[in-house]
DNA sequence: AATTAACGCTTTGTATACAAACAGTCAATG
DNA sequence: CATTGACTGTTTGTATACAAAGCGTTAATT
């Protein structure tokens, strides 16, 4: 298997926890590869900021609350812009793609049972497809290039596991607003709606972070 | 020497031209290294988009006119935002850094003799320091992370070799406007001035690209 | 007992050797 | 004459071996 993808997934899925040191030898054994391809994969992850260099080797980056705030600020900026440009440049095909992805998203939400991992993964996947449809409609591939590195980060916290049904429904409504704004070529409305949508996502991640923190504090207490 | 830096510089300085294929073996010989560190460097450059994968190995990316337009759009967005945030969050020390860099920039422009490479490099360098001072004042390191990859691209065209004295002086004036807006915490003015400043830079790169194109056409003609 | 020096172990950095994939050429055949 | 097939040389992908740099532990000296 491709070492880069494997390690990246493992970080996102929490197999390698933040702060954990990544040894080349152990990764090589785990993937039944030699150290050479592992090193290349690590270099890539390093230049994307998912792992940070230590005096010796690298460790999984630990994103702070501040990081999340800043990263989401960046994302509102980029993706808000993408939405506004999509409104100006969208073709019929673009609109079709967005509608398609969003219908799937809606269906998946209807099927949703709380705490069912597979159904959540499905939802996350179609949500991503909707966002990607917009980004590719904005006529600026470079935006996509940078956004793809920004979007990964919050995934590390897997906060969507905690989504409640009403949050998903609200998200779906906003999607529809964004979609119709783009269809009507109302670029400013598209930008604002997208920006707000992403801020809502940020709030949920931050709330989830608080939950984690509490649990951590509880754990600390039981140790005494 | 560090392979990553070396190759990057070589691409920027035009030693490796766009479209040129980069063989591992030849790079290794050139740097008196083995292929292993070369491959790691290439993987990094690839994930930054400076080289693109071929069926076999990589080649130096050829940025089109469209790429430049899109990249500058991105840069106005990011750096305009950075300027507006810098206006909100700047400390006294931030202001000092900006003033320092800009003074150096002004001095270098006064010393400027057209077509003197060293004096141009000096100017480019202090200009960059000024922009970096703003970006670090904006309280969002992630912006810097992405901007650093955006800013490199136009350098490939080395259009600043062609700068005329009046263009540099205009640029200096805009710097002063940006600086005072930030000092006065006028965030919207800072954003607009920065945005305009970068669009001016884009115009110059695009004009330079036209020049190059003309020369190319002339060359083609002489071949017949 | 504390501090430092030295030793050894672990892990990364680099080189090299080998395997496999691809490109180009030349020849054979329809 | 064109098209296909096999061969060969070149280049990348992977593994392994070796060099060097850090870190921890232990022992010796003050």
């Amino acid at each position: 298997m491709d070492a880069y993808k494997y390690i990246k997934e493992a970080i996102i899925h929490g197999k390698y926890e933040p702060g954990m040191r990544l040894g080349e030898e152990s990764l090589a054994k785990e993937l039944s590869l030699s150290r050479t391809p592992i090193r290349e994969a690590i270099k890539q992850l390093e230049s994307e900021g998912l792992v940070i260099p230590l005096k010796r080797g690298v460790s999984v980056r630990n994103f702070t609350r501040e990081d999340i705030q800043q990263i989401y600020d960046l994302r509102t900026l980029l993706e808000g812009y993408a939405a506004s440009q999509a409104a100006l440049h969208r073709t019929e095909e673009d609109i079709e793609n967005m509608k398609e992805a969003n219908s799937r998203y809606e269906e998946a939400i209807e099927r949703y049972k709380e705490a069912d991992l597979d159904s959540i993964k499905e939802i996350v996947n179609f949500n991503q497809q909707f966002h990607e449809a917009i980004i590719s409609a904005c006529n600026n591939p470079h935006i996509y290039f940078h956004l793809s590195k920004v979007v990964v980060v919050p995934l590390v916290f897997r906060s969507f596991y905690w989504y409640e049904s009403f949050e998903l429904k609200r998200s779906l409504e906003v999607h529809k607003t964004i979609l119709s704004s783009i269809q009507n070529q109302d670029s400013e409305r598209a930008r604002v709606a997208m920006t707000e949508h992403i801020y809502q996502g940020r709030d949920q991640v931050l709330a989830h972070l608080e939950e984690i923190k509490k649990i951590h504090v509880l754990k600390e207490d039981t140790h005494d």
Side-chain angles (χ1 to χ4, degrees), chain A residues 15-60:
Chain A
K15 180 171 182 181
Y16 304 146
E17 289 178 21
M20 178 175 167
R21 194 203 161 104
L22 295 182
E24 298 176 3
E25 198 72 49
S26 63
L27 286 172
K29 213 167 63 183
E30 194 172 328
L31 288 165
S32 353
L33 281 172
S34 73
R35 279 176 47 218
T36 314
I38 300 289
R39 286 176 63 84
E40 285 165 14
I42 288 178
K43 268 277 141 61
Q44 264 184 272
L45 292 166
E46 197 181 318
S47 87
E48 292 178 18
L50 266 185
V51 302
I52 51 174
L54 252 32
K55 17 257 120 237
R56 197 90 106 65
V58 297
S59 69
V60 178

Side-chain angles (χ1 to χ4, degrees), chain A residues 27-111:
Chain A
L27 286 172
K29 213 167 63 183
E30 194 172 328
L31 288 165
S32 353
L33 281 172
S34 73
R35 279 176 47 218
T36 314
I38 300 289
R39 286 176 63 84
E40 285 165 14
I42 288 178
K43 268 277 141 61
Q44 264 184 272
L45 292 166
E46 197 181 318
S47 87
E48 292 178 18
L50 266 185
V51 302
I52 51 174
L54 252 32
K55 17 257 120 237
R56 197 90 106 65
V58 297
S59 69
V60 178
R61 176 155 182 184
N62 188 14
F63 291 98
T64 66
R65 191 183 170 81
E66 270 198 324
D67 283 319
I68 296 300
Q69 305 231 27
Q70 292 164 355
I71 285 168
Y72 267 95
D73 281 342
L74 233 176
R75 191 174 163 192
T76 56
L77 194 70
L78 292 173
E79 213 161 334
Y81 174 79
S84 74
Q85 292 298 302
L88 299 177
H89 303 304
R90 93 283 185 289
T91 65
E92 277 309 312
E93 199 194 333
D94 291 328
I95 298 287
E96 274 317 304
N97 290 335
M98 294 175 209
K99 283 186 176 167
E100 174 73 15
N102 211 35
S103 301
R104 295 283 166 81
Y105 183 57
E106 183 161 18
E107 290 156 24
I109 287 176
E110 277 162 13
R111 278 196 298 278

Side-chain angles (χ1 to χ4, degrees), chain A residues 143-179:
Chain A
I143 295 265
Y144 184 78
F145 182 85
H146 288 273
L147 263 174
S148 62
K149 282 161 192 172
V150 169
V151 169
V152 180
V153 173
L155 295 180
V156 171
F157 293 103
R158 298 175 299 290
S159 58
F160 42 80
Y161 289 174
W162 296 54
Y163 277 1
E164 312 246 350
S165 189
F166 78 90
E167 288 165 340
L168 293 170
K169 294 216 169 97
R170 183 181 59 183
S171 160
L172 177 64
E173 288 311 306
V174 181
H175 276 203
K176 286 177 179 169
T177 305
I178 295 169
L179 207 165

Side-chain angles (χ1 to χ4, degrees), chain A residues 132-146:
Chain A
E132 281 178 7
I134 293 172
I135 297 164
S136 30
C138 91
N139 261 12
N140 189 337
H142 297 276
I143 295 265
Y144 184 78
F145 182 85
H146 288 273

